[in-house]
């Protein structure tokens, strides 16, 4: 599996977030900071996720994606689009209930590009306090738990364990 990487671009408030390779917790702090900056932007209007080169996405990253959908819906009333031609990624998105909060497409013309590397496993988030990372993991999983009962059952023990540490 390729190391994880998140690339971003924006044009007049339309944000493209491309995930490549094995996207994991090690990238979550920079991604969460990007989310905060994106929503602080006055021209924010839409988000498109390109998962065409993603090989795996962990639950923390999925929780941050769900956070974007929920906050975006509150801010501009629009559902983000996920472009994902990968059947295994699509099964995960379906299991997590993402069809309820995203528009998921399996083909996209013309191709899109995100060019600015936000964060990569080659240069992971290393200067983050363990407690801050734990709080972000808990927050991301609580967002997923709020999507459906299956997610609630899947992540309750994890969240309880992290909160009790």
């Amino acid at each position: 599996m390729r190391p994880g990487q998140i690339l971003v671009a924006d044009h007049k408030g339309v944000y493209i977030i491309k995930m490549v390779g094995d996207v994991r917790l090690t990238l979550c702090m920079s991604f969460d900071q990007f989310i905060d900056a994106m929503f602080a932007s006055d021209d924010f209007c839409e988000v498109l996720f390109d998962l065409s080169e993603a090989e795996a996405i962990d639950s923390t990253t999925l929780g941050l994606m769900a956070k974007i959908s929920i906050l975006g819906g509150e801010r501009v009333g629009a559902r983000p689009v996920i472009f994902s031609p990968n059947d295994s990624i699509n099964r995960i998105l379906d299991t997590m209930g993402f069809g309820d909060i995203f528009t998921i497409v399996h083909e996209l013309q013309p191709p899109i590009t995100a060019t600015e590397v936000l964060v990569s496993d080659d240069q992971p988030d290393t200067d983050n306090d363990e407690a801050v990372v734990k709080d972000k993991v808990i927050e991301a999983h609580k967002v997923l738990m709020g999507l459906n009962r299956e997610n609630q059952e899947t992540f309750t023990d994890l969240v309880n364990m992290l909160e009790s540490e």
Side-chain angles (χ1 to χ4, degrees):
M1 232 181 254
R2 288 183 291 175
Q5 192 175 43
I6 299 174
L7 298 101
V8 297
D10 78 275
H11 179 70
K12 297 183 180 180
V14 177
Y15 288 82
I16 298 169
I17 301 168
K18 182 177 182 96
M19 297 186 179
V20 177
D22 186 18
V23 183
R24 300 263 163 216
L25 168 67
T26 55
L27 310 178
C28 80
M29 292 306 294
S30 291
F31 187 37
D32 193 58
Q33 291 168 356
F34 169 78
I35 293 167
D36 292 342
M38 179 177 67
F39 283 109
S41 174
D42 290 336
D43 66 350
F44 171 85
C45 64
E46 195 170 344
V47 176
L48 175 98
F49 287 94
D50 178 354
L51 305 184
S52 62
E53 295 183 47
E55 296 172 23
I57 302 173
D58 75 352
S59 56
T60 301
T61 306
L62 291 168
L64 292 174
M65 290 173 65
K67 175 182 174 179
I68 289 172
S69 181
I70 292 165
L71 293 175
E74 291 171 357
R75 173 127 179 230
V76 295
R79 291 169 66 154
V81 173
I82 295 177
F83 167 52
S84 177
N86 182 321
D87 289 339
S88 64
I89 297 288
N90 293 339
R91 279 190 294 278
I92 292 168
L93 299 176
D94 184 50
T95 300
M96 290 292 130
F98 273 32
D100 295 335
I101 61 170
F102 291 93
T103 299
I104 301 173
V105 297
H106 307 295
E107 294 180 13
L108 192 59
Q109 298 292 335
I112 55 171
T113 57
T115 56
E116 178 187 342
V117 176
L118 175 66
V119 64
S120 171
D121 275 337
D122 296 336
Q123 301 168 344
D125 293 331
T126 56
D127 297 332
N128 296 304
D129 181 89
E130 186 176 324
V132 173
V133 172
K134 183 175 86 169
D135 288 345
K136 292 298 173 190
V137 171
I138 291 169
E139 175 190 8
H141 285 85
K142 283 184 174 182
V143 171
L144 289 175
M145 290 169 63
L147 296 181
N148 60 46
R149 189 170 47 145
E150 292 81 19
N151 289 355
Q152 172 106 25
E153 292 170 4
T154 300
F155 297 117
T156 296
D157 289 342
L158 172 66
V159 169
N160 288 341
M161 179 198 64
L162 290 171
E163 289 180 329
S164 68
E165 289 182 350

